[in-house]
Amino acid sequence: MKYTEGISDKGKLENMKHAHVFMRFPGGRAKAVTFSFDDGVVQDAWLVQKLQKYHLKGTFNINAGLCTYDPVDCERLDASFFPDKSIQRRLTRRELCRVFDGSGMEIAAHGYTHAQLNKIDPAAAMWEVCRDRAELEALTGAPVRGFAYPQGAGDDRSAELLCRCGFLYGRLAQSSHSFDVPKNPYLFQPTCHFLEKSAPDLARDFLERNVTAGVWQRDTEPMLLYLWGHGYEMRGEGDFAQTEALLQRLSGHEDVWYPTNLELFSYMRAFDALVYGIDRTFAQNMSCMPVWVYANGKITKIDPGAVVSL
């Protein structure tokens, strides 16, 4: 009794702090939507235009070794090597610059020649990753920090390679059909393919679901809708119409953040770098960008270098 003497019930409650701190996206938002498209094909120009129209952002994963300076006559390619050759005309390097310059989209690596990293030796894998990055950086004049595994084939060795080579993330191609934020940025699954039948239902569920303002509930975690695919998979008017309808449905929601993949994982890294007092009553932001958190029933913004009470 002596220990609590003089402390009111209100004071006791004010002194109770919970250790769990949940990430919130910029502006205190609890949801984020991002897109990822592979191979750098001519249909990407349409995707960029539509993403811009609806104020969305995406990442385009390019094989620099398969991007020529002049268009390739796909009909002359060996059909056994490119069985779907008629719909896979890739953007040339000049077209890449024209389509993506000033678009707000991210250019990421996809392996220099689209080789599966888990099926080649470590030296070849290093060459695939680093040469692709170097040529894309020379082409765009910007750092390339993202990677999508060719054929979606990533493993622990590939993930370690990406980390050593300065990448922030590595995306697989097997859909999770969940809205969980990736735990391992170097081996994560997207939510779903943008053309699969369940995509509209998942988008509706994502937009309608509420993030709980609590401590113990699972739904207190932030939510991510990550859509991926290939532009050449849009093969008819119906596919283009379905894609545009999905983009329109997802756009313009004030409670949703719309980053590129690089912006998403850069932000997640900044959140992970927060430094807490041992009793979790304050946090310091050691990154160069502001970070928002949900802790003890409130959303708090932590500016770069700031120490903020939770």
Side-chain angles (χ1 to χ4, degrees), residues 91-253:
L91 293 166
T92 66
R93 296 192 176 206
R94 293 183 181 88
E95 289 170 335
L96 278 170
C97 292
R98 186 181 72 248
V99 168
F100 292 107
D101 186 35
S103 68
M105 308 300 158
E106 176 196 0
I107 294 294
H110 195 38
Y112 189 68
T113 67
H114 204 271
Q116 293 180 233
L117 301 187
N118 63 344
K119 292 187 176 181
I120 56 179
D121 65 83
M126 178 75 77
W127 181 86
E128 280 282 330
V129 169
C130 292
R131 183 166 183 181
D132 196 31
R133 178 180 177 183
E135 292 201 12
L136 290 175
E137 289 181 343
L139 187 66
T140 62
V144 170
R145 306 289 305 282
F147 194 87
Y149 293 104
Q151 304 296 326
D155 57 12
D156 290 339
R157 190 192 75 178
S158 305
E160 182 181 358
L161 173 63
L162 294 187
C163 183
R164 288 166 52 200
C165 292
F167 288 87
L168 289 186
Y169 68 86
R171 194 212 78 212
L172 302 168
Q174 297 76 33
S175 297
S176 68
H177 298 108
S178 79
F179 305 132
D180 294 339
V181 172
K183 302 301 181 185
N184 182 352
Y186 293 101
L187 284 172
F188 73 92
Q189 296 173 295
T191 305
C192 75
H193 191 283
F194 76 110
L195 283 177
E196 70 178 78
K197 291 182 179 180
S198 64
D201 291 336
L202 282 166
R204 183 181 63 253
D205 184 24
F206 173 82
L207 294 172
E208 293 178 354
R209 187 178 298 183
N210 292 321
V211 177
T212 304
V215 173
W216 302 110
Q217 298 93 332
R218 181 178 182 275
D219 287 344
T220 311
E221 297 282 358
M223 296 169 56
L224 172 66
L225 178 62
Y226 189 118
L227 297 159
W228 79 284
H230 307 80
Y232 64 73
E233 293 171 301
M234 297 184 294
R235 306 188 183 190
E237 292 184 5
D239 290 339
F240 284 90
Q242 177 181 329
T243 301
E244 183 163 8
L246 181 64
L247 299 182
Q248 185 176 15
R249 179 73 180 89
L250 289 170
S251 69
H253 297 274

Side-chain angles (χ1 to χ4, degrees), residues 275-296:
V275 178
Y276 302 94
I278 194 65
D279 60 358
R280 308 287 280 194
T281 59
F282 65 87
Q284 183 172 18
N285 182 359
M286 304 302 293
S287 76
C288 61
M289 65 177 68
V291 173
W292 282 258
V293 301
Y294 175 80
N296 297 304

Side-chain angles (χ1 to χ4, degrees), residues 4 8 48 73 94 96 154 248 305:
T4 59
S8 66
V48 169
D73 184 358
R94 293 183 181 88
L96 278 170
Q248 185 176 15

Side-chain angles (χ1 to χ4, degrees), residues 13-24 215 271 274-285 291-303 306-310:
L13 291 174
E14 288 177 346
N15 288 331
M16 292 174 65
K17 298 285 186 178
H18 196 273
H20 205 150
V21 178
F22 297 91
M23 180 175 69
R24 289 296 179 259
V215 173
F271 171 79
L274 290 175
V275 178
Y276 302 94
I278 194 65
D279 60 358
R280 308 287 280 194
T281 59
F282 65 87
Q284 183 172 18
N285 182 359
V291 173
W292 282 258
V293 301
Y294 175 80
N296 297 304
K298 63 180 181 179
I299 294 174
T300 301
K301 178 185 178 184
I302 311 176
D303 286 317
V307 179
V308 175
S309 173
L310 300 177

